[in-house]
Amino acid sequence: NAGVTQTPKFQVLKTGQSMTLQCAQDMNHEYMSWYRQDPGMGLRLIHYSVGAGITDQGEVPNGYNVSRSTTEDFPLRLLSAAPSQTSVYFCASSYASGTGFWNTEAFFGQGTRLTVV
Amino acid sequence: GQQVMQIPQYQHVQEGEDFTTYCNSSTTLSNIQWYKQRPGGHPVFLIQLVKSGEVKKQKRLTFQFGEAKKNSSLHITATQTTDVGTYFCAGRLTGGGNKLTFGTGTQLKVEL
């Protein structure tokens, strides 16, 4: 079972370039999310989705777009990369319990380390 | 600003010493989850607590959820080098919808 797969693992971008971070899960989880990890700030939610066709903003959505056309995939697009977006990005997925998605285990991908120069 | 804070940010211990990280939220939490991230790795789920005052144990790890459901702690007894990593708490803030808010994390280093 692959779980949550993120590509690429490493990426260097120039300021102003755009790119898409890929995330795929094979556990049929309805809930998927993107976090960025920066030293001393923990994991901050960028965008999340509760199912195909439904997305919503997290804490730090500016400069990022998402879409969810299938249950399996949840790509994150950087529209015009800035040095402030240098970070480690994690995709996560989870299944729904009776009361929502927040009280079940989140499964994380291996992460994408992005540097914007 | 950051709504879920963890202290300390860093902790160095000698192998065999105990370790505690504290998680404090500005608002009440519906639940608290704990994750461990090994150096260079990704967060891995450890446990979830949902009841006020709940205490759970996993071998040398003891997890507590505060009575007011605004704080939590993770205590490791007799640390080992395998405990090295960053520990995160996470929970749903009251009124937070389907979002899980993570704490700032505590990085643990264990020296022989």
Side-chain angles (χ1 to χ4, degrees):
Chain A
N1 224 355
V4 180
T5 303
Q6 289 183 238
T7 55
K9 287 188 169 51
F10 302 94
Q11 183 72 49
V12 178
L13 287 179
K14 293 183 178 178
T15 297
Q17 286 185 318
S18 62
M19 80 159 294
T20 300
L21 307 186
Q22 301 292 345
C23 176
Q25 54 92 8
D26 62 0
M27 297 174 282
N28 203 32
H29 286 169
E30 293 178 14
Y31 187 89
M32 296 185 74
S33 53
W34 277 101
Y35 292 88
R36 60 177 289 173
Q37 182 176 17
D38 302 291
M41 306 193 75
L43 294 154
R44 291 182 293 167
L45 183 65
I46 304 172
H47 286 285
Y48 66 99
S49 168
V50 299
I54 306 168
T55 63
D56 207 344
Q57 296 181 349
E59 288 178 75
V60 288
N62 293 339
Y64 308 95
N65 269 357
V66 292
S67 59
R68 183 97 179 269
S69 55
T70 67
T71 300
E72 294 78 20
D73 300 298
F74 192 43
L76 178 72
R77 296 184 190 84
L78 279 70
L79 309 172
S80 177
S84 60
Q85 293 178 304
T86 293
S87 187
V88 180
Y89 291 84
F90 286 100
C91 177
S93 74
S94 56
Y95 55 91
S97 73
T99 50
F101 298 94
W102 46 268
N103 59 352
T104 59
E105 174 183 353
F107 293 83
F108 284 82
Q110 300 294 323
T112 295
R113 187 172 294 274
L114 176 69
T115 302
V116 183
V117 299
Chain B
Q2 208 80 28
Q3 291 182 286
V4 181
M5 303 293 294
Q6 284 182 251
I7 53 170
Q9 186 174 356
Y10 302 100
Q11 183 80 59
H12 288 94
V13 298
Q14 297 289 322
E15 190 177 41
E17 292 182 337
D18 291 357
F19 159 77
T20 303
T21 172
Y22 298 92
C23 174
N24 298 295
S25 172
S26 55
T27 62
T28 55
L29 298 161
S30 303
N31 63 327
I32 195 81
Q33 297 179 347
W34 284 92
Y35 290 79
K36 177 183 178 181
Q37 182 182 27
R38 294 184 186 275
H42 59 282
V44 175
F45 177 83
L46 293 176
I47 206 163
Q48 174 169 264
L49 298 88
V50 295
K51 296 178 184 175
S52 167
E54 190 171 10
V55 178
K56 287 188 177 181
K57 292 190 176 185
Q58 286 181 349
K59 297 183 181 178
R60 295 178 294 105
L61 278 62
T62 302
F63 304 85
Q64 290 189 315
F65 198 8
E67 294 288 343
K69 300 186 80 173
K70 293 181 75 173
N71 54 69
S72 179
S73 65
L74 158 58
H75 179 81
I76 303 178
T77 304
T79 54
Q80 300 175 357
T81 54
T82 53
D83 296 324
V84 164
T86 301
Y87 293 85
F88 291 101
C89 62
R92 174 181 177 263
L93 302 173
T94 299
N98 270 311
K99 292 179 283 190
L100 203 59
T101 298
F102 277 78
T104 48
T106 295
Q107 185 178 345
L108 173 65
K109 293 191 175 180
V110 180
E111 298 166 357
L112 292 171

